[in-house]
Amino acid sequence: MGPELPKVGVVLSGGGARGFAEIGVLKVIEEAGIHADIVTGTSMGAVLGGLYAIGYTADELEAMVLSTNWMRMFDDRPSRRKVSMVQKTFFDRYVFSLPLRAEGIGLPSGLVAGQRISSLLDSLTLSVHGTASFNDLYRKFACVATDLETGQAVVLHGGSLSRALRASMAIPSVFTPVQLDSFLLVDGMLARNLPVQDCWDLGADYVIAIDAGNPLKEANQLNNVLTILDQSIAIGMQDENKLQVGLANLVIRPDLTGYTSADFLAAAELIATGEEQARDYLPQLQALADSLYSRSGRDVPPRSITPDSVYVERVSVLGLKDVTRAFVLDEAGLQVPGWVALSELHNAVERVYSTRFFEQVTYELQPHGNSSVLQLFVAEKDVNLLRFGFRYDTAEESALLTNVTLRNPVLNATMLTLDVRLGTESSVEAAYFGHMNLNSRLGFRVSGLYSRDEQALPPSILGEATTVEASTVRGDLFFGSLFSTMAVVGGGVRFDQLFFKDKFESPGSLDKSLVYGSAYGLVQIDTFNDSYFAKEGLRLKVEAEYANHPVHWDSYFSLYSAHIDWRTAVYDRITLIRRGFFRYSQRDLPLPRYDTKMSYWQFFGAPHEYLIGKHMQIVEAGVMVEPWTDRFITARFDLGNTFLNDWNTTLEWDQYEWGAGLFAGAPTPVGPVELLIATSSGDSFLFAVNVGYFF
């Protein structure tokens, strides 16, 4: 055996998206024939360096970076299709939330808990799950995080690699801190952005440092919030960075002028820039390779290979307090012991997270003989929420929504919500949701509602046009598959007390109250990929309600309704829309129940008050186009009407109202923004604006 070859260390700095340039530099280092034996990194450099340390090549890192939607890493909301039908109700209603703790209303410790980035790191590091020491990786590795309590650097040498990388990149105020042992850790760039000394400490004989950090900018460049934030961070790093730069044998610092740490959409350009500028060092790197070892004689250890599937003997769940283990395993849906595909494992974690009972769900596979034990680490949401929504539209003007959500009150795996809505229609609604333990999909809902609204009635109802002030007090008990991700099937009972009177209180005006109870059955399907700009999926709601008067209640009737919205993506940016609204009732309805609550956003054909009747027949067809990313234009044609006496079977054109219109809309941080231009048989021209979520 010949003499031991010198060990080359590579150091990767933090820098957010600017760190992608380090991949281009690594490509040139590999091309020169240099094999890195040791890697250290901070923040984004820790993520790339950790993956490089377990055997990813520079080309594989490039493919991974370019195939990842990095902007999605800053959005922890689960896929809408993965959340339960209960959660779909609240999915797109609130603009922002504040935690409610024992000491009062607080502020979140970060914008996101990092579920998406943690899931990505869990899957990318799967081949080394269970490896206790980072010295045992394909390349020796260490990464740096910052102790939030003391501000000191904490060098991570072992444990869960995924969790160590997540801690090193926990940008303060963006990602929540990571608890590791006795430390509460945030981004390592605050303490040591270029960990050269740590590379020497691991036994390097020659150190190449790649610095993609943010140099100080001149005053005329500090003209927006991102450049000012970058400058604030860079100022505190200068002294330590100079010290670390002086310790390296070779420093490669790509010129990334014009790029910020938030330029994730420029990943391909940043990688190309790093590679292009590193080529200036290629002769020097090749000479270094020749002096260190013969390129043809260099022994390279075998890399760990990520399998397509793993044999899981059992699943353990760590971190539970209120939620039961049975609930988590039922939601995960894994058939163990048995082989589990990696895609199936990822979906299982996402299903558990999508229950919204957890702040974060991560996993690690621990070797156990010839199989593995899957460890699920869960962090339950132990804070309640105060949430706010806002909306403005041309019809109802402004509306405000305040919500309080309490988790696990009285019983485990339950949720209590209280919504207060202020606007043209004001209401207070409380609902208590819980699992029934017979099946993870089955649950119950107990709710109460008080609402007050004005309702314009056409002459066909009372003989003359009338504006009615209607108030409703309702109690509701429902059982069914509330916690299914696709469909609710169930039934319940309602008890209503209604008050309505003529708003203008003229002589002989209407002033009446009534009480009735009803039983109802419900089938509801929702597979939309987005609440407002769905490109595909089905929304279907079919309900049958029957009210009798066994105890001298004031009203009895039967009511059947169906709402359907079916979206099909025919091309990448073109979606067909087919919608229908149908209602049929027997006997006279309680007066406020005539109101369909439909606006011109849903049907162009007539003013709101003319959509009132016992029966309804409306069909719609349209096409939605996405000419630019997240910018939508929709053309739609509507045909339909409501009927007071008999269900219309003639299907004659003159029995229906029609409307045609164009929507232009886009999602924004405060909800969807939509503009509508329409014409119809009821209105010659209509222009309307909506800002915010409907509620």
Side-chain angles (χ1 to χ4, degrees):
M1 180 180 294
E4 186 176 354
L5 294 174
K7 290 183 170 53
V8 177
V10 172
V11 181
L12 305 178
S13 78
R18 290 165 59 98
F20 294 150
E22 296 171 329
I23 297 174
V25 178
L26 288 175
K27 293 173 71 173
V28 176
I29 290 175
E30 289 182 352
E31 183 182 335
I34 295 174
H35 173 81
D37 302 280
I38 299 166
V39 182
T40 58
T42 296
S43 196
M44 181 60 78
V47 174
L48 300 175
L51 298 178
Y52 198 59
I54 66 176
Y56 284 80
T57 66
D59 285 339
E60 289 169 338
L61 289 178
E62 180 179 29
M64 180 275 295
V65 164
L66 296 182
S67 63
T68 299
N69 184 341
W70 289 94
M71 300 311 295
R72 286 282 282 162
M73 295 298 110
F74 297 91
D75 180 2
D76 267 355
R77 292 191 310 166
S79 165
R80 189 179 183 279
R81 286 180 164 173
K82 296 291 178 66
V83 302
S84 70
M85 294 294 285
V86 166
Q87 294 295 341
K88 282 182 171 69
T89 305
F90 305 101
F91 198 75
D92 282 323
R93 295 185 73 181
Y94 310 107
V95 177
F96 68 95
S97 303
L98 296 173
L100 287 175
R101 299 187 174 94
E103 58 271 22
I105 300 174
L107 293 174
S109 56
L111 295 178
V112 291
Q115 174 64 26
R116 287 192 184 278
I117 191 67
S118 294
S119 293
L120 177 65
L121 295 175
D122 283 345
S123 61
L124 292 174
T125 61
L126 187 69
S127 63
V128 296
H129 281 201
T131 302
S133 172
F134 299 162
N135 287 341
D136 298 329
L137 301 178
Y138 177 70
R139 298 176 169 98
K140 283 187 177 182
F141 175 70
C143 62
V144 176
T146 301
D147 183 348
L148 187 57
E149 182 179 1
T150 66
Q152 299 299 308
V154 176
V155 184
L156 304 174
H157 294 279
S160 166
L161 178 61
S162 172
R163 196 159 177 81
L165 301 184
R166 166 68 177 83
S168 183
M169 61 159 293
I171 306 169
S173 77
V174 176
F175 291 111
T176 55
V178 174
Q179 184 77 49
L180 275 180
D181 299 324
S182 61
F183 299 107
L184 189 62
L185 301 177
V186 294
D187 200 311
M189 68 179 177
L190 300 177
R192 187 153 60 247
N193 196 48
L194 192 67
V196 177
Q197 180 61 57
D198 306 291
C199 196
W200 288 114
D201 293 343
L202 287 177
D205 298 303
Y206 191 97
V207 174
I208 302 170
I210 308 172
D211 187 4
N214 292 296
L216 293 181
K217 300 175 178 61
E218 297 179 0
N220 61 356
Q221 297 175 293
L222 302 173
N223 52 16
N224 62 66
V225 66
L226 290 178
T227 58
I228 293 173
L229 178 61
D230 283 345
Q231 186 84 337
S232 301
I233 296 172
I235 288 172
M237 295 161 36
Q238 287 306 298
D239 290 342
E240 178 65 22
N241 212 57
K242 289 178 181 178
L243 173 63
Q244 296 297 318
V245 165
L247 296 175
N249 297 105
L250 174 64
V251 179
I252 300 177
R253 184 181 287 119
D255 182 3
L256 303 177
T257 302
Y259 295 102
T260 72
S261 58
D263 282 332
F264 291 95
L265 297 179
E269 300 170 26
L270 285 160
I271 294 171
T273 299
E275 181 178 359
E276 179 184 354
Q277 296 189 19
R279 291 200 174 279
D280 294 339
Y281 295 86
L282 185 58
Q284 186 176 351
L285 292 169
Q286 289 174 332
L288 173 63
D290 290 336
S291 67
L292 290 174
Y293 41 73
S294 168
R295 278 178 256 169
S296 60
R298 175 63 172 169
D299 291 328
V300 177
R303 296 190 298 157
S304 299
I305 299 176
T306 301
D308 294 328
S309 61
V310 292
Y311 190 87
V312 177
E313 180 180 305
R314 58 185 174 86
V315 179
S316 64
V317 186
L318 305 176
L320 290 174
K321 293 186 295 184
D322 295 320
V323 181
T324 66
R325 178 177 181 272
F327 170 78
V328 173
L329 296 181
D330 202 17
E331 287 292 339
L334 296 174
Q335 302 299 315
V336 296
W339 287 96
V340 177
L342 298 191
S343 58
E344 185 181 356
L345 177 58
H346 175 79
N347 288 334
V349 170
E350 189 171 4
R351 282 194 296 270
V352 175
Y353 176 71
S354 297
T355 64
R356 310 306 289 271
F357 281 101
F358 304 103
E359 197 75 39
Q360 196 170 63
V361 180
T362 59
Y363 69 92
E364 188 161 6
L365 289 164
Q366 291 291 340
H368 189 265
N370 294 325
S371 62
S372 298
V373 174
L374 173 61
Q375 292 182 330
L376 291 178
F377 301 91
V378 300
E380 292 188 20
K381 289 185 175 180
D382 57 359
V383 296
N384 301 313
L385 294 175
L386 177 63
R387 303 190 279 193
F388 301 92
F390 165 80
R391 177 170 62 83
Y392 170 85
D393 75 59
T394 307
E396 298 192 23
E397 299 183 343
S398 298
L400 297 174
L401 181 66
T402 302
N403 168 271
V404 175
T405 298
L406 306 179
R407 304 183 188 281
N408 302 309
V410 185
L411 299 174
N412 291 338
T414 60
M415 180 175 67
L416 176 65
T417 67
L418 175 66
D419 277 316
V420 178
R421 183 188 191 277
L422 300 176
T424 304
E425 177 189 356
S426 297
S427 64
V428 178
E429 182 174 13
Y432 186 62
F433 302 89
H435 289 264
M436 296 178 63
N437 294 326
L438 300 174
N439 181 287
S440 67
R441 305 294 181 261
L442 295 178
F444 65 87
R445 181 190 65 218
V446 182
S447 62
L449 167 72
Y450 171 78
S451 67
R452 184 168 183 169
D453 191 14
E454 291 184 3
Q455 184 173 341
L457 300 178
S460 56
I461 300 294
L462 296 177
E464 59 179 332
T466 306
T467 299
V468 173
E469 289 183 348
S471 299
T472 302
V473 178
R474 168 175 292 175
D476 192 305
L477 176 62
F478 179 86
F479 296 93
S481 54
L482 287 166
F483 296 94
S484 166
T485 59
M486 292 180 57
V488 172
V489 179
V493 291
R494 296 185 182 123
F495 300 92
D496 288 70
Q497 185 168 11
L498 310 176
F499 307 89
F500 40 93
K501 64 179 180 178
D502 189 334
K503 178 182 178 182
F504 302 104
E505 298 184 349
S506 56
S509 64
L510 182 68
D511 190 348
K512 187 177 181 181
S513 67
L514 60 85
V515 177
Y516 71 91
S518 62
Y520 66 98
L522 174 68
V523 175
Q524 188 171 357
I525 298 172
D526 189 340
T527 63
F528 269 23
N529 67 315
D530 185 87
S531 299
Y532 289 88
F533 303 104
K535 297 180 181 180
E536 57 184 3
L538 171 68
R539 267 183 178 165
L540 173 68
K541 183 177 181 180
V542 178
E543 186 172 359
E545 183 178 6
Y546 176 72
N548 206 334
H549 55 111
V551 289
H552 305 290
W553 284 333
D554 301 310
S555 182
Y556 67 101
F557 60 88
S558 55
L559 177 64
Y560 310 92
S561 63
H563 293 186
I564 184 171
D565 191 338
W566 183 19
R567 310 282 178 102
T568 306
V570 292
Y571 294 103
D572 183 41
R573 292 176 178 265
I574 301 177
T575 296
L576 293 182
I577 300 173
R578 288 139 294 178
R579 300 184 354 144
F581 302 85
F582 307 97
R583 184 170 72 171
Y584 174 79
S585 61
Q586 293 178 323
R587 295 184 292 274
D588 291 333
L589 296 172
L591 191 57
R593 298 302 299 278
Y594 282 101
D595 190 357
T596 65
K597 297 297 183 187
M598 294 184 69
S599 69
Y600 44 67
W601 295 96
Q602 296 166 294
F603 179 58
F604 302 142
H608 177 63
E609 58 267 25
Y610 290 98
L611 292 176
I612 295 173
K614 291 171 58 176
H615 314 295
M616 176 172 62
Q617 300 171 349
I618 297 174
V619 293
E620 302 173 349
V623 60
M624 182 177 73
V625 181
E626 187 182 15
W628 305 278
T629 301
D630 284 340
R631 302 293 182 268
F632 300 91
I633 298 174
T634 301
R636 205 179 76 203
F637 178 79
D638 303 345
L639 182 68
N641 211 338
T642 56
F643 306 93
L644 185 60
N645 296 315
D646 298 314
W647 177 267
N648 183 35
T649 58
T650 62
L651 303 181
E652 296 177 0
W653 177 266
D654 60 2
Q655 297 292 310
Y656 295 97
E657 305 286 349
W658 62 268
L662 284 174
F663 290 89
T668 74
V670 296
V673 174
E674 297 173 288
L675 304 178
L676 165 64
I677 299 175
T679 186
S680 72
S681 54
D683 289 292
S684 59
F685 177 77
L686 173 67
F687 174 76
V689 178
N690 174 70
V691 179
Y693 300 117
F694 285 99
F695 46 78

